[in-house]
Amino acid sequence: MTNREFLVVTTTHDDEAAARELAAAAVRERLAACAQVYPVRSVYWWDGAVRDGAEWRVDLKTRAALADRLTAFLVERHSYGTPEVVGVPVAAGSAAYLDWIAAETVGD
């Protein structure tokens, strides 16, 4: 099934417990149907230098219609001054799974 009505929204955090709580809060608020939290190594430019550090990536499955609300929610609750919040359209997926995401997130 091809459908661009859904997104995977990604953010990162430097603390596992905080990343898990951020993920759980978004799911509790029904802004995402589910989230995965896993360790990553990030290399990035910040404050004039290349940085390298351990982070926890959070991938949230949601409807595209909730992108602005989910982004605001993540930015408001994040400890980073400039948190990563990137939404990538779902180009294809199982109809049953996409229906589940729609059913488990808040209406417009």
Side-chain angles (χ1 to χ4, degrees), residues 13-91:
H13 213 295
D14 62 358
D15 179 79
E16 181 182 9
R20 290 184 182 284
E21 178 49 38
L22 192 59
V27 172
R28 246 189 328 273
E29 292 293 320
R30 310 288 298 267
L31 295 172
C34 71
Q36 284 89 33
V37 179
Y38 50 97
V40 295
R41 190 87 195 167
S42 295
V43 178
Y44 54 96
W45 187 268
W46 191 257
D47 287 336
V50 174
R51 310 293 173 142
D52 181 325
E55 289 188 299
W56 293 87
R57 180 173 168 159
V58 182
D59 286 338
L60 301 119
K61 310 315 183 334
T62 192
R63 292 181 298 112
L66 294 173
D68 290 343
R69 287 174 62 187
L70 180 56
T71 297
F73 180 90
L74 295 172
V75 168
E76 178 182 310
R77 287 161 180 76
H78 209 291
S79 64
Y80 290 5
T82 306
E84 171 188 9
V85 181
V86 177
V88 178
V90 173

